[in-house]
Amino acid sequence: MHELTVIENIMNISLQVAEQNNISRISAVNLDVGEMQHLNEQILQHGFDASVKDTIMSRADLKLRWVPVKLKCRDCYHIFEPQNGCYYCPQCKSKDTEIKQGMELTINSIEGE
Amino acid sequence: MEIKVLKNVLDRNNDQAEKNKALLRKHDLVMLNMISSPGAGKTTILEKTIPELLKTKNVGVIEGDAYTSKDAERLQKFDIPIVQINTEGTCHLDSSSVRSAFEQLDLAQLDVIFVENVGNLICPTGFDLGENIRIAVLSTTEGDDKPAKYPMLFRQAKAVVLNKVDLIPYIHFDKDGFFSDLHLLNPSVNTFEMSAFKETGVDEWINWLKAHIT
């Protein structure tokens, strides 16, 4: 249920950005969510709808873009999606890999007038 | 009108975590963040670990619980500084609550702080507390499929303690499969097989800890 903490932070950041840009009504928040974050979309959407009531984002849509996990091999620089839970490089079999994407929890943009 | 934001939702937590890290560095302190499901045995592991470390180190504990102070009470017999954080139902500790706990500890007098996070395999993993070492604890009764189901925790952990190994003869737990999955996900992870209750496998764990908190 860390979705609620995430929503609280989404709201704080969005409202701050709206104020700085003279936005009086937020219509959408575009959020990139890495698949590693284990966020539940239904809880996020319900929690968001309940939390934004009586604010300038009360009619805003929370638009999620799920970002798949991608790894980069530190030996041969191959970029790949892990298959069957294996984080080794499929090209050179190196175990030395780093997560390049899939950890995101980023507000990409907000939309409003 | 669309306005680019490109801001991490957890920035506030991450910023405070960096400040916590700096504070730990200043006091030459090692902080361990212990994450597991409820009932995996974190408190029992601490009960077996703390007296050994106390022979040479000053130990403090930050106890995270959704409600009650039952875990902290179990550790009071060691007469060490313990700060209880009740999250009032929230499923994870964050870096600000740990910063507040620091204020109740004499950091200059400590060598190591154990943070016992709220029991949960998902939520605490997104919240950096500023710890030096993240430990995942899994009990055998939870099943051998957990690394595949919770990759973020098991990928990020520097060490994984498999607890309650004494129960394996009575349950379906494929230990080889578990370690194989874990190493595919996290090749450099340190692993420990333990029954904290029966006090087996505790020595290897303590030796590893001692090597990391000198």
Side-chain angles (χ1 to χ4, degrees):
Chain A
M1 284 293 282
H2 59 313
E3 284 82 357
L4 296 181
T5 309
V6 169
I7 291 163
E8 190 189 328
N9 288 328
I10 291 171
M11 287 184 61
N12 286 339
I13 294 167
S14 303
L15 292 170
Q16 196 184 2
V17 171
E19 193 181 327
Q20 286 161 355
N21 292 277
N22 297 320
I23 299 277
S24 56
R25 187 147 289 278
I26 300 173
S27 56
V29 177
N30 294 301
L31 186 72
D32 288 350
V33 187
E35 284 180 350
M36 267 232 163
Q37 290 287 352
H38 280 301
L39 283 170
N40 181 299
E41 181 158 3
Q42 230 176 358
I43 298 176
L44 261 187
Q45 293 290 0
H46 284 307
F48 183 82
D49 292 343
S51 305
V52 294
K53 274 181 188 162
D54 304 322
T55 69
I56 62 159
M57 55 197 298
S58 62
R59 279 188 228 132
D61 289 326
L62 181 62
K63 296 182 186 168
L64 304 184
R65 187 175 74 96
W66 291 92
V67 184
V69 178
K70 280 199 180 162
L71 304 171
K72 182 180 175 187
C73 175
R74 288 204 181 109
D75 288 320
C76 76
Y77 310 114
H78 180 51
I79 291 176
F80 62 99
E81 286 186 31
Q83 302 294 329
N84 303 318
C86 180
Y87 282 51
Y88 296 3
C89 175
Q91 193 159 280
C92 75
K93 311 296 177 205
S94 168
K95 297 177 179 180
D96 192 8
T97 60
E98 61 185 283
I99 297 175
K100 287 305 284 183
Q101 65 167 56
M103 298 285 286
E104 293 77 0
L105 202 49
T106 308
I107 300 181
N108 195 334
S109 64
I110 64 168
E111 296 169 38
E113 301 301 329
Chain B
M1 174 161 67
E2 183 174 2
I3 296 159
K4 277 279 168 204
V5 181
L6 297 175
K7 203 166 159 59
N8 187 321
V9 171
L10 298 180
D11 262 1
R12 203 172 53 171
N13 185 73
N14 294 338
D15 291 348
Q16 182 58 52
E18 286 305 317
K19 290 178 190 161
N20 291 356
K21 272 193 187 97
L23 211 51
L24 293 168
R25 252 196 317 272
K26 181 180 157 198
H27 292 285
D28 209 8
L29 246 167
V30 174
M31 184 163 84
L32 296 102
N33 181 4
M34 299 188 59
I35 300 176
S36 80
S37 304
K42 291 188 297 297
T43 314
T44 307
I45 292 171
L46 287 180
E47 283 181 301
K48 307 297 175 184
T49 304
I50 289 169
E52 285 303 312
L53 292 183
L54 280 176
K55 291 174 184 170
T56 53
K57 303 285 175 196
N58 293 312
V59 181
V61 175
I62 297 173
E63 270 293 340
D65 270 304
Y67 303 101
T68 84
S69 56
K70 285 180 187 295
D71 290 348
E73 287 162 22
R74 282 170 61 187
L75 301 176
Q76 270 169 358
K77 59 192 169 211
F78 300 121
D79 198 23
I80 55 171
I82 303 173
V83 180
Q84 174 75 51
I85 302 174
N86 275 126
T87 60
E88 310 283 331
T90 303
C91 46
H92 58 271
L93 291 177
D94 62 22
S95 53
S96 312
S97 55
V98 168
R99 177 68 184 87
S100 308
F102 282 172
E103 279 161 25
Q104 297 173 59
L105 292 167
D106 187 354
L107 297 183
Q109 296 300 318
L110 292 175
D111 301 307
V112 56
I113 298 175
F114 286 99
V115 179
E116 188 176 339
N117 217 311
V118 181
N120 190 312
L121 291 180
I122 296 180
C123 308
T125 58
F127 295 83
D128 184 3
L129 307 179
E131 72 267 20
N132 307 85
I133 300 175
R134 185 169 286 196
I135 310 282
V137 178
L138 187 86
S139 57
T140 54
T141 49
E142 293 167 65
D144 49 40
D145 55 357
K146 294 300 170 290
K149 282 190 175 172
Y150 303 97
M152 186 148 147
L153 171 61
F154 289 97
R155 169 80 187 186
Q156 288 180 342
K158 191 171 175 71
V160 172
V161 179
L162 180 64
N163 194 26
K164 306 187 189 178
V165 290
D166 54 317
L167 298 180
I168 290 179
Y170 312 105
I171 56 175
H172 294 288
F173 187 89
D174 173 6
K175 195 171 78 178
D176 292 341
F178 169 78
F179 282 116
S180 159
D181 281 358
L182 177 60
H183 284 109
L184 285 173
L185 182 65
N186 186 350
S188 61
V189 69
N190 297 275
T191 59
F192 301 93
E193 295 179 36
M194 191 187 293
S195 167
F197 182 65
K198 294 266 170 91
E199 299 188 358
T200 58
V202 179
D203 292 346
E204 292 88 339
W205 154 250
I206 286 173
N207 289 338
W208 181 84
L209 275 180
K210 282 180 177 167
H212 283 83
I213 55 179
T214 47

